[in-house]
Every structure is written in structure tokens, then in C-alpha cells.
PDB file of all heavy atoms in Angstrom:
ATOM      1  N   ILE K1347       0.822  -1.142  -0.018  1.00  0.00           N
ATOM      2  CA  ILE K1347       0.040   0.016  -0.017  1.00  0.00           C
ATOM      3  C   ILE K1347       0.884   1.308   0.013  1.00  0.00           C
ATOM      4  O   ILE K1347       0.560   2.291  -0.618  1.00  0.00           O
ATOM      5  CB  ILE K1347      -0.928   0.099   1.217  1.00  0.00           C
ATOM      6  CG1 ILE K1347      -2.006  -1.113   1.039  1.00  0.00           C
ATOM      7  CG2 ILE K1347      -1.647   1.254   1.408  1.00  0.00           C
ATOM      8  CD1 ILE K1347      -2.791  -1.298   2.257  1.00  0.00           C
ATOM      9  N   TYR K1348       1.946   1.148   0.710  1.00  0.00           N
ATOM     10  CA  TYR K1348       2.842   2.501   0.889  1.00  0.00           C
ATOM     11  C   TYR K1348       3.598   2.559  -0.434  1.00  0.00           C
ATOM     12  O   TYR K1348       3.583   3.694  -1.026  1.00  0.00           O
ATOM     13  CB  TYR K1348       3.827   2.279   1.903  1.00  0.00           C
ATOM     14  CG  TYR K1348       4.941   3.347   1.902  1.00  0.00           C
ATOM     15  CD1 TYR K1348       4.553   4.651   2.369  1.00  0.00           C
ATOM     16  CD2 TYR K1348       6.182   3.162   1.272  1.00  0.00           C
ATOM     17  CE1 TYR K1348       5.333   5.564   2.383  1.00  0.00           C
ATOM     18  CE2 TYR K1348       7.019   4.184   1.234  1.00  0.00           C
ATOM     19  CZ  TYR K1348       6.607   5.498   1.840  1.00  0.00           C
ATOM     20  OH  TYR K1348       7.545   6.517   1.798  1.00  0.00           O
ATOM     21  N   LEU K1349       4.126   1.549  -1.219  1.00  0.00           N
ATOM     22  CA  LEU K1349       4.839   1.724  -2.298  1.00  0.00           C
ATOM     23  C   LEU K1349       4.069   1.957  -3.583  1.00  0.00           C
ATOM     24  O   LEU K1349       4.332   2.655  -4.547  1.00  0.00           O
ATOM     25  CB  LEU K1349       5.725   0.445  -2.530  1.00  0.00           C
ATOM     26  CG  LEU K1349       6.861   0.190  -1.558  1.00  0.00           C
ATOM     27  CD1 LEU K1349       7.385  -1.206  -1.722  1.00  0.00           C
ATOM     28  CD2 LEU K1349       7.860   1.237  -1.588  1.00  0.00           C
ATOM     29  N   ASN K1350       2.781   1.332  -3.452  1.00  0.00           N
ATOM     30  CA  ASN K1350       1.945   1.521  -4.656  1.00  0.00           C
ATOM     31  C   ASN K1350       0.436   1.694  -4.156  1.00  0.00           C
ATOM     32  O   ASN K1350      -0.500   0.850  -4.370  1.00  0.00           O
ATOM     33  CB  ASN K1350       2.043   0.340  -5.588  1.00  0.00           C
ATOM     34  CG  ASN K1350       1.491   0.621  -7.051  1.00  0.00           C
ATOM     35  OD1 ASN K1350       0.710   1.545  -7.185  1.00  0.00           O
ATOM     36  ND2 ASN K1350       1.818  -0.208  -7.901  1.00  0.00           N
ATOM     37  N   PRO K1351       0.091   2.916  -3.665  1.00  0.00           N
ATOM     38  CA  PRO K1351      -1.187   3.184  -2.982  1.00  0.00           C
ATOM     39  C   PRO K1351      -2.320   3.099  -4.059  1.00  0.00           C
ATOM     40  O   PRO K1351      -3.401   2.631  -3.723  1.00  0.00           O
ATOM     41  CB  PRO K1351      -1.129   4.502  -2.427  1.00  0.00           C
ATOM     42  CG  PRO K1351       0.013   5.177  -3.069  1.00  0.00           C
ATOM     43  CD  PRO K1351       0.980   4.131  -3.499  1.00  0.00           C
ATOM     44  N   LYS K1352      -2.186   3.549  -5.347  1.00  0.00           N
ATOM     45  CA  LYS K1352      -3.241   3.475  -6.326  1.00  0.00           C
ATOM     46  C   LYS K1352      -3.737   2.138  -6.521  1.00  0.00           C
ATOM     47  O   LYS K1352      -4.903   1.804  -6.713  1.00  0.00           O
ATOM     48  CB  LYS K1352      -2.757   4.201  -7.579  1.00  0.00           C
ATOM     49  CG  LYS K1352      -2.509   5.744  -7.427  1.00  0.00           C
ATOM     50  CD  LYS K1352      -2.282   6.290  -8.796  1.00  0.00           C
ATOM     51  CE  LYS K1352      -2.167   7.895  -8.742  1.00  0.00           C
ATOM     52  NZ  LYS K1352      -1.727   8.461  -9.980  1.00  0.00           N
ATOM     53  N   GLU K1353      -2.837   1.244  -6.614  1.00  0.00           N
ATOM     54  CA  GLU K1353      -3.147  -0.235  -6.891  1.00  0.00           C
ATOM     55  C   GLU K1353      -3.633  -1.000  -5.657  1.00  0.00           C
ATOM     56  O   GLU K1353      -4.508  -1.771  -5.875  1.00  0.00           O
ATOM     57  CB  GLU K1353      -1.887  -0.901  -7.550  1.00  0.00           C
ATOM     58  CG  GLU K1353      -2.203  -2.387  -7.911  1.00  0.00           C
ATOM     59  CD  GLU K1353      -1.119  -3.029  -8.637  1.00  0.00           C
ATOM     60  OE1 GLU K1353      -0.051  -2.313  -8.943  1.00  0.00           O
ATOM     61  OE2 GLU K1353      -1.097  -4.227  -8.949  1.00  0.00           O
ATOM     62  N   TYR K1354      -3.125  -0.740  -4.501  1.00  0.00           N
ATOM     63  CA  TYR K1354      -3.458  -1.603  -3.340  1.00  0.00           C
ATOM     64  C   TYR K1354      -4.181  -0.904  -2.214  1.00  0.00           C
ATOM     65  O   TYR K1354      -4.590  -1.677  -1.244  1.00  0.00           O
ATOM     66  CB  TYR K1354      -2.158  -2.136  -2.775  1.00  0.00           C
ATOM     67  CG  TYR K1354      -1.344  -2.983  -3.757  1.00  0.00           C
ATOM     68  CD1 TYR K1354      -0.249  -2.544  -4.378  1.00  0.00           C
ATOM     69  CD2 TYR K1354      -1.813  -4.331  -3.901  1.00  0.00           C
ATOM     70  CE1 TYR K1354       0.473  -3.378  -5.270  1.00  0.00           C
ATOM     71  CE2 TYR K1354      -1.095  -5.208  -4.691  1.00  0.00           C
ATOM     72  CZ  TYR K1354      -0.083  -4.784  -5.351  1.00  0.00           C
ATOM     73  OH  TYR K1354       0.567  -5.552  -6.342  1.00  0.00           O
ATOM     74  N   GLN K1355      -4.591   0.304  -2.318  1.00  0.00           N
ATOM     75  CA  GLN K1355      -5.258   0.974  -1.193  1.00  0.00           C
ATOM     76  C   GLN K1355      -6.630   0.329  -0.943  1.00  0.00           C
ATOM     77  O   GLN K1355      -6.989   0.205   0.384  1.00  0.00           O
ATOM     78  CB  GLN K1355      -5.347   2.485  -1.411  1.00  0.00           C
ATOM     79  CG  GLN K1355      -5.874   3.233  -0.239  1.00  0.00           C
ATOM     80  CD  GLN K1355      -4.955   3.347   0.776  1.00  0.00           C
ATOM     81  OE1 GLN K1355      -3.911   4.000   0.616  1.00  0.00           O
ATOM     82  NE2 GLN K1355      -5.162   2.875   1.993  1.00  0.00           N
ATOM     83  N   SER K1356      -7.353  -0.024  -1.874  1.00  0.00           N
ATOM     84  CA  SER K1356      -8.681  -0.578  -1.563  1.00  0.00           C
ATOM     85  C   SER K1356      -8.885  -2.048  -2.159  1.00  0.00           C
ATOM     86  O   SER K1356      -9.921  -2.323  -2.599  1.00  0.00           O
ATOM     87  CB  SER K1356      -9.727   0.383  -2.212  1.00  0.00           C
ATOM     88  OG  SER K1356      -9.577   1.622  -1.703  1.00  0.00           O
ATOM     89  N   VAL K1357      -7.806  -2.861  -2.093  1.00  0.00           N
ATOM     90  CA  VAL K1357      -7.837  -4.191  -2.617  1.00  0.00           C
ATOM     91  C   VAL K1357      -8.693  -5.071  -1.822  1.00  0.00           C
ATOM     92  O   VAL K1357      -8.642  -5.131  -0.548  1.00  0.00           O
ATOM     93  CB  VAL K1357      -6.484  -4.679  -2.703  1.00  0.00           C
ATOM     94  CG1 VAL K1357      -6.399  -6.230  -3.117  1.00  0.00           C
ATOM     95  CG2 VAL K1357      -5.582  -3.902  -3.778  1.00  0.00           C
ATOM     96  N   SER K1358      -9.532  -5.940  -2.299  1.00  0.00           N
ATOM     97  CA  SER K1358     -10.213  -6.963  -1.683  1.00  0.00           C
ATOM     98  C   SER K1358      -9.379  -8.033  -1.160  1.00  0.00           C
ATOM     99  O   SER K1358      -8.239  -8.327  -1.642  1.00  0.00           O
ATOM    100  CB  SER K1358     -11.440  -7.550  -2.569  1.00  0.00           C
ATOM    101  OG  SER K1358     -10.788  -8.260  -3.639  1.00  0.00           O
ATOM    102  N   GLU K1359      -9.866  -8.814  -0.195  1.00  0.00           N
ATOM    103  CA  GLU K1359      -9.074  -9.977   0.337  1.00  0.00           C
ATOM    104  C   GLU K1359      -8.768 -11.029  -0.823  1.00  0.00           C
ATOM    105  O   GLU K1359      -7.790 -11.757  -0.821  1.00  0.00           O
ATOM    106  CB  GLU K1359      -9.843 -10.606   1.561  1.00  0.00           C
ATOM    107  CG  GLU K1359      -8.929 -11.641   2.271  1.00  0.00           C
ATOM    108  CD  GLU K1359      -7.611 -11.074   2.794  1.00  0.00           C
ATOM    109  OE1 GLU K1359      -7.587  -9.876   3.220  1.00  0.00           O
ATOM    110  OE2 GLU K1359      -6.594 -11.779   2.834  1.00  0.00           O
ATOM    111  N   GLU K1360      -9.816 -11.084  -1.704  1.00  0.00           N
ATOM    112  CA  GLU K1360      -9.520 -12.062  -2.865  1.00  0.00           C
ATOM    113  C   GLU K1360      -8.394 -11.485  -3.655  1.00  0.00           C
ATOM    114  O   GLU K1360      -7.507 -12.382  -4.155  1.00  0.00           O
ATOM    115  CB  GLU K1360     -10.783 -12.153  -3.601  1.00  0.00           C
ATOM    116  CG  GLU K1360     -10.852 -13.243  -4.566  1.00  0.00           C
ATOM    117  CD  GLU K1360     -10.699 -14.731  -4.030  1.00  0.00           C
ATOM    118  OE1 GLU K1360     -11.216 -14.821  -2.896  1.00  0.00           O
ATOM    119  OE2 GLU K1360      -9.960 -15.495  -4.605  1.00  0.00           O
ATOM    120  N   LYS K1361      -8.252 -10.336  -3.907  1.00  0.00           N
ATOM    121  CA  LYS K1361      -7.176  -9.794  -4.615  1.00  0.00           C
ATOM    122  C   LYS K1361      -5.771  -9.939  -3.905  1.00  0.00           C
ATOM    123  O   LYS K1361      -4.717 -10.241  -4.497  1.00  0.00           O
ATOM    124  CB  LYS K1361      -7.339  -8.384  -4.991  1.00  0.00           C
ATOM    125  CG  LYS K1361      -8.346  -8.168  -6.086  1.00  0.00           C
ATOM    126  CD  LYS K1361      -7.881  -8.574  -7.489  1.00  0.00           C
ATOM    127  CE  LYS K1361      -8.876  -8.293  -8.648  1.00  0.00           C
ATOM    128  NZ  LYS K1361      -8.432  -8.748  -9.906  1.00  0.00           N
ATOM    129  N   TRP K1362      -5.806  -9.801  -2.654  1.00  0.00           N
ATOM    130  CA  TRP K1362      -4.649  -9.951  -1.816  1.00  0.00           C
ATOM    131  C   TRP K1362      -4.176 -11.371  -1.888  1.00  0.00           C
ATOM    132  O   TRP K1362      -3.068 -11.679  -2.002  1.00  0.00           O
ATOM    133  CB  TRP K1362      -4.881  -9.669  -0.224  1.00  0.00           C
ATOM    134  CG  TRP K1362      -4.843  -8.205   0.092  1.00  0.00           C
ATOM    135  CD1 TRP K1362      -5.904  -7.475   0.590  1.00  0.00           C
ATOM    136  CD2 TRP K1362      -3.731  -7.336  -0.153  1.00  0.00           C
ATOM    137  NE1 TRP K1362      -5.480  -6.171   0.831  1.00  0.00           N
ATOM    138  CE2 TRP K1362      -4.262  -5.957   0.340  1.00  0.00           C
ATOM    139  CE3 TRP K1362      -2.483  -7.411  -0.603  1.00  0.00           C
ATOM    140  CZ2 TRP K1362      -3.347  -4.952   0.275  1.00  0.00           C
ATOM    141  CZ3 TRP K1362      -1.685  -6.310  -0.705  1.00  0.00           C
ATOM    142  CH2 TRP K1362      -2.020  -5.050  -0.217  1.00  0.00           C
ATOM    143  N   LYS K1363      -5.268 -12.299  -1.761  1.00  0.00           N
ATOM    144  CA  LYS K1363      -4.936 -13.798  -1.849  1.00  0.00           C
ATOM    145  C   LYS K1363      -4.299 -14.119  -3.230  1.00  0.00           C
ATOM    146  O   LYS K1363      -3.304 -14.858  -3.343  1.00  0.00           O
ATOM    147  CB  LYS K1363      -6.126 -14.629  -1.722  1.00  0.00           C
ATOM    148  CG  LYS K1363      -5.933 -16.111  -1.760  1.00  0.00           C
ATOM    149  CD  LYS K1363      -7.249 -16.893  -1.654  1.00  0.00           C
ATOM    150  CE  LYS K1363      -6.965 -18.379  -1.719  1.00  0.00           C
ATOM    151  NZ  LYS K1363      -8.177 -19.093  -1.543  1.00  0.00           N
ATOM    152  N   GLU K1364      -4.787 -13.498  -4.238  1.00  0.00           N
ATOM    153  CA  GLU K1364      -4.249 -13.722  -5.597  1.00  0.00           C
ATOM    154  C   GLU K1364      -2.765 -13.213  -5.717  1.00  0.00           C
ATOM    155  O   GLU K1364      -1.939 -13.935  -6.307  1.00  0.00           O
ATOM    156  CB  GLU K1364      -5.108 -12.978  -6.640  1.00  0.00           C
ATOM    157  CG  GLU K1364      -4.604 -13.116  -8.109  1.00  0.00           C
ATOM    158  CD  GLU K1364      -5.562 -12.339  -9.029  1.00  0.00           C
ATOM    159  OE1 GLU K1364      -6.750 -12.209  -8.775  1.00  0.00           O
ATOM    160  OE2 GLU K1364      -5.055 -11.759 -10.100  1.00  0.00           O
ATOM    161  N   ASN K1365      -2.427 -12.110  -4.953  1.00  0.00           N
ATOM    162  CA  ASN K1365      -1.126 -11.604  -5.045  1.00  0.00           C
ATOM    163  C   ASN K1365      -0.240 -12.510  -4.287  1.00  0.00           C
ATOM    164  O   ASN K1365       0.915 -12.817  -4.746  1.00  0.00           O
ATOM    165  CB  ASN K1365      -1.112 -10.172  -4.373  1.00  0.00           C
ATOM    166  CG  ASN K1365       0.207  -9.624  -4.133  1.00  0.00           C
ATOM    167  OD1 ASN K1365       0.966 -10.006  -3.346  1.00  0.00           O
ATOM    168  ND2 ASN K1365       0.554  -8.545  -4.992  1.00  0.00           N
ATOM    169  N   PHE K1366      -0.648 -12.767  -3.034  1.00  0.00           N
ATOM    170  CA  PHE K1366       0.330 -13.559  -2.230  1.00  0.00           C
ATOM    171  C   PHE K1366       0.479 -15.053  -2.593  1.00  0.00           C
ATOM    172  O   PHE K1366       1.539 -15.574  -2.523  1.00  0.00           O
ATOM    173  CB  PHE K1366      -0.304 -13.653  -0.746  1.00  0.00           C
ATOM    174  CG  PHE K1366      -0.119 -12.314  -0.017  1.00  0.00           C
ATOM    175  CD1 PHE K1366      -1.093 -11.611   0.568  1.00  0.00           C
ATOM    176  CD2 PHE K1366       1.235 -11.796   0.120  1.00  0.00           C
ATOM    177  CE1 PHE K1366      -0.990 -10.389   1.192  1.00  0.00           C
ATOM    178  CE2 PHE K1366       1.408 -10.650   0.825  1.00  0.00           C
ATOM    179  CZ  PHE K1366       0.336  -9.842   1.332  1.00  0.00           C
ATOM    180  N   MET K1367      -0.516 -15.656  -3.250  1.00  0.00           N
ATOM    181  CA  MET K1367      -0.445 -16.990  -3.754  1.00  0.00           C
ATOM    182  C   MET K1367       0.064 -17.135  -5.143  1.00  0.00           C
ATOM    183  O   MET K1367       0.272 -18.294  -5.670  1.00  0.00           O
ATOM    184  CB  MET K1367      -1.796 -17.687  -3.587  1.00  0.00           C
ATOM    185  CG  MET K1367      -2.333 -17.767  -2.217  1.00  0.00           C
ATOM    186  SD  MET K1367      -1.186 -18.819  -1.194  1.00  0.00           S
ATOM    187  CE  MET K1367      -1.442 -20.406  -1.822  1.00  0.00           C
ATOM    188  N   ASN K1368       0.475 -16.106  -5.816  1.00  0.00           N
ATOM    189  CA  ASN K1368       1.123 -16.147  -7.096  1.00  0.00           C
ATOM    190  C   ASN K1368       2.592 -16.783  -6.922  1.00  0.00           C
ATOM    191  O   ASN K1368       3.364 -16.241  -6.370  1.00  0.00           O
ATOM    192  CB  ASN K1368       1.318 -14.749  -7.703  1.00  0.00           C
ATOM    193  CG  ASN K1368       1.833 -14.792  -9.043  1.00  0.00           C
ATOM    194  OD1 ASN K1368       2.164 -15.849  -9.663  1.00  0.00           O
ATOM    195  ND2 ASN K1368       1.847 -13.610  -9.726  1.00  0.00           N
ATOM    196  N   PRO K1369       2.750 -17.970  -7.651  1.00  0.00           N
ATOM    197  CA  PRO K1369       3.979 -18.644  -7.454  1.00  0.00           C
ATOM    198  C   PRO K1369       5.182 -17.764  -8.021  1.00  0.00           C
ATOM    199  O   PRO K1369       6.339 -18.074  -7.656  1.00  0.00           O
ATOM    200  CB  PRO K1369       3.852 -19.986  -8.179  1.00  0.00           C
ATOM    201  CG  PRO K1369       2.625 -19.672  -9.129  1.00  0.00           C
ATOM    202  CD  PRO K1369       1.787 -18.748  -8.416  1.00  0.00           C
ATOM    203  N   LYS K1370       4.868 -16.828  -8.957  1.00  0.00           N
ATOM    204  CA  LYS K1370       5.922 -16.125  -9.526  1.00  0.00           C
ATOM    205  C   LYS K1370       5.902 -14.617  -8.850  1.00  0.00           C
ATOM    206  O   LYS K1370       6.455 -13.675  -9.484  1.00  0.00           O
ATOM    207  CB  LYS K1370       5.646 -15.938 -10.928  1.00  0.00           C
ATOM    208  CG  LYS K1370       5.833 -17.333 -11.803  1.00  0.00           C
ATOM    209  CD  LYS K1370       5.684 -17.103 -13.257  1.00  0.00           C
ATOM    210  CE  LYS K1370       5.919 -18.361 -13.933  1.00  0.00           C
ATOM    211  NZ  LYS K1370       5.784 -18.265 -15.410  1.00  0.00           N
ATOM    212  N   ARG K1371       5.373 -14.545  -7.680  1.00  0.00           N
ATOM    213  CA  ARG K1371       5.376 -13.207  -6.976  1.00  0.00           C
ATOM    214  C   ARG K1371       6.716 -12.693  -6.898  1.00  0.00           C
ATOM    215  O   ARG K1371       7.704 -13.517  -6.548  1.00  0.00           O
ATOM    216  CB  ARG K1371       4.678 -13.425  -5.672  1.00  0.00           C
ATOM    217  CG  ARG K1371       4.484 -12.155  -4.813  1.00  0.00           C
ATOM    218  CD  ARG K1371       3.891 -12.433  -3.530  1.00  0.00           C
ATOM    219  NE  ARG K1371       3.422 -11.172  -2.837  1.00  0.00           N
ATOM    220  CZ  ARG K1371       4.252 -10.345  -2.116  1.00  0.00           C
ATOM    221  NH1 ARG K1371       5.590 -10.679  -1.935  1.00  0.00           N
ATOM    222  NH2 ARG K1371       3.892  -9.271  -1.561  1.00  0.00           N
ATOM    223  N   SER K1372       6.872 -11.405  -7.060  1.00  0.00           N
ATOM    224  CA  SER K1372       8.180 -10.754  -6.972  1.00  0.00           C
ATOM    225  C   SER K1372       8.845 -11.078  -5.656  1.00  0.00           C
ATOM    226  O   SER K1372       8.319 -10.869  -4.627  1.00  0.00           O
ATOM    227  CB  SER K1372       8.022  -9.219  -7.144  1.00  0.00           C
ATOM    228  OG  SER K1372       9.177  -8.583  -6.974  1.00  0.00           O
ATOM    229  N   GLY K1373      10.185 -11.492  -5.724  1.00  0.00           N
ATOM    230  CA  GLY K1373      10.888 -11.665  -4.534  1.00  0.00           C
ATOM    231  C   GLY K1373      10.848 -13.124  -3.983  1.00  0.00           C
ATOM    232  O   GLY K1373      11.655 -13.479  -3.131  1.00  0.00           O
ATOM    233  N   ARG K1374       9.823 -13.925  -4.373  1.00  0.00           N
ATOM    234  CA  ARG K1374       9.701 -15.190  -3.843  1.00  0.00           C
ATOM    235  C   ARG K1374      10.794 -16.261  -4.283  1.00  0.00           C
ATOM    236  O   ARG K1374      11.197 -16.306  -5.407  1.00  0.00           O
ATOM    237  CB  ARG K1374       8.359 -15.874  -4.252  1.00  0.00           C
ATOM    238  CG  ARG K1374       8.103 -17.199  -3.726  1.00  0.00           C
ATOM    239  CD  ARG K1374       6.744 -17.813  -4.145  1.00  0.00           C
ATOM    240  NE  ARG K1374       6.640 -19.152  -3.678  1.00  0.00           N
ATOM    241  CZ  ARG K1374       6.726 -20.307  -4.421  1.00  0.00           C
ATOM    242  NH1 ARG K1374       6.921 -20.220  -5.682  1.00  0.00           N
ATOM    243  NH2 ARG K1374       6.550 -21.439  -3.866  1.00  0.00           N
ATOM    244  N   VAL K1375      11.413 -16.867  -3.292  1.00  0.00           N
ATOM    245  CA  VAL K1375      12.212 -17.965  -3.419  1.00  0.00           C
ATOM    246  C   VAL K1375      11.652 -19.141  -2.752  1.00  0.00           C
ATOM    247  O   VAL K1375      11.610 -19.027  -1.474  1.00  0.00           O
ATOM    248  CB  VAL K1375      13.774 -17.703  -3.027  1.00  0.00           C
ATOM    249  CG1 VAL K1375      14.616 -18.959  -3.308  1.00  0.00           C
ATOM    250  CG2 VAL K1375      14.281 -16.523  -3.701  1.00  0.00           C
ATOM    251  N   GLU K1376      11.278 -20.135  -3.431  1.00  0.00           N
ATOM    252  CA  GLU K1376      10.505 -21.270  -2.783  1.00  0.00           C
ATOM    253  C   GLU K1376      11.231 -21.856  -1.565  1.00  0.00           C
ATOM    254  O   GLU K1376      12.401 -22.259  -1.591  1.00  0.00           O
ATOM    255  CB  GLU K1376      10.251 -22.409  -3.780  1.00  0.00           C
ATOM    256  CG  GLU K1376       9.380 -23.518  -3.310  1.00  0.00           C
ATOM    257  CD  GLU K1376       9.145 -24.560  -4.307  1.00  0.00           C
ATOM    258  OE1 GLU K1376       9.597 -24.373  -5.471  1.00  0.00           O
ATOM    259  OE2 GLU K1376       8.544 -25.596  -4.046  1.00  0.00           O
ATOM    260  N   GLY K1377      10.520 -21.841  -0.504  1.00  0.00           N
ATOM    261  CA  GLY K1377      11.142 -22.417   0.747  1.00  0.00           C
ATOM    262  C   GLY K1377      12.211 -21.744   1.323  1.00  0.00           C
ATOM    263  O   GLY K1377      12.961 -22.199   2.108  1.00  0.00           O
ATOM    264  N   GLU K1378      12.355 -20.450   0.950  1.00  0.00           N
ATOM    265  CA  GLU K1378      13.579 -19.700   1.350  1.00  0.00           C
ATOM    266  C   GLU K1378      13.424 -18.284   1.745  1.00  0.00           C
ATOM    267  O   GLU K1378      13.855 -17.637   2.653  1.00  0.00           O
ATOM    268  CB  GLU K1378      14.743 -19.746   0.267  1.00  0.00           C
ATOM    269  CG  GLU K1378      16.037 -19.281   0.687  1.00  0.00           C
ATOM    270  CD  GLU K1378      16.996 -19.614  -0.409  1.00  0.00           C
ATOM    271  OE1 GLU K1378      16.958 -20.697  -0.974  1.00  0.00           O
ATOM    272  OE2 GLU K1378      17.974 -18.666  -0.574  1.00  0.00           O
ATOM    273  N   ALA K1379      12.527 -17.552   0.856  1.00  0.00           N
ATOM    274  CA  ALA K1379      12.322 -16.131   1.152  1.00  0.00           C
ATOM    275  C   ALA K1379      11.054 -15.714   0.587  1.00  0.00           C
ATOM    276  O   ALA K1379      10.593 -16.027  -0.541  1.00  0.00           O
ATOM    277  CB  ALA K1379      13.399 -15.293   0.522  1.00  0.00           C
ATOM    278  N   LEU K1380      10.174 -14.996   1.284  1.00  0.00           N
ATOM    279  CA  LEU K1380       8.938 -14.448   0.939  1.00  0.00           C
ATOM    280  C   LEU K1380       7.968 -15.618   0.235  1.00  0.00           C
ATOM    281  O   LEU K1380       7.297 -15.283  -0.718  1.00  0.00           O
ATOM    282  CB  LEU K1380       9.096 -13.243  -0.046  1.00  0.00           C
ATOM    283  CG  LEU K1380       9.730 -12.044   0.498  1.00  0.00           C
ATOM    284  CD1 LEU K1380       9.810 -10.984  -0.563  1.00  0.00           C
ATOM    285  CD2 LEU K1380       8.749 -11.436   1.727  1.00  0.00           C
ATOM    286  N   ASP K1381       8.115 -16.706   0.843  1.00  0.00           N
ATOM    287  CA  ASP K1381       7.240 -17.753   0.286  1.00  0.00           C
ATOM    288  C   ASP K1381       5.861 -17.814   0.892  1.00  0.00           C
ATOM    289  O   ASP K1381       5.590 -18.498   1.744  1.00  0.00           O
ATOM    290  CB  ASP K1381       7.879 -19.184   0.478  1.00  0.00           C
ATOM    291  CG  ASP K1381       7.318 -20.151  -0.337  1.00  0.00           C
ATOM    292  OD1 ASP K1381       6.223 -19.921  -0.865  1.00  0.00           O
ATOM    293  OD2 ASP K1381       7.891 -21.310  -0.573  1.00  0.00           O
ATOM    294  N   PHE K1382       5.040 -16.884   0.313  1.00  0.00           N
ATOM    295  CA  PHE K1382       3.697 -16.695   0.799  1.00  0.00           C
ATOM    296  C   PHE K1382       2.826 -17.897   0.440  1.00  0.00           C
ATOM    297  O   PHE K1382       1.647 -18.032   1.020  1.00  0.00           O
ATOM    298  CB  PHE K1382       3.022 -15.405   0.375  1.00  0.00           C
ATOM    299  CG  PHE K1382       3.631 -14.149   1.144  1.00  0.00           C
ATOM    300  CD1 PHE K1382       4.608 -13.396   0.549  1.00  0.00           C
ATOM    301  CD2 PHE K1382       3.086 -13.888   2.409  1.00  0.00           C
ATOM    302  CE1 PHE K1382       5.020 -12.295   1.369  1.00  0.00           C
ATOM    303  CE2 PHE K1382       3.528 -12.774   2.982  1.00  0.00           C
ATOM    304  CZ  PHE K1382       4.559 -12.026   2.510  1.00  0.00           C
TER     305      PHE K1382
END
């Protein structure tokens, strides 16, 4: 929300889930870092 308020300020929980559960989410290293 801080880095990109226009995109994330009013996001639904379903959209949050889509972001966090994306296997190609930025920064994710499976079983090592930011593995949401």
C-alpha cells in the first residue's frame, strides 16, 4: 500500500490472496524467502 497506493489501497481480500499465492510473486524464493 505504501509503495503503490493507487493499486493496493482498496484491494479486496480475494485480490490480496491472488497476489500472495502467485508462485511467480516478486521476490519469492520457494522455501527460502517471501514464500507466501
Side-chain angles (χ1 to χ4, degrees):
I1347 291 169
Y1348 176 78
L1349 293 174
N1350 195 343
K1352 289 184 179 179
E1353 183 174 352
Y1354 291 105
Q1355 188 69 62
S1356 302
V1357 170
S1358 67
E1359 189 58 36
E1360 191 60 35
K1361 286 291 185 181
W1362 281 122
K1363 180 179 179 180
E1364 183 180 324
N1365 176 289
F1366 286 121
M1367 295 301 290
N1368 182 355
K1370 295 183 179 180
R1371 187 182 189 277
S1372 176
R1374 177 179 181 254
V1375 180
E1376 184 178 356
E1378 187 172 324
L1380 292 178
D1381 194 345
F1382 282 100

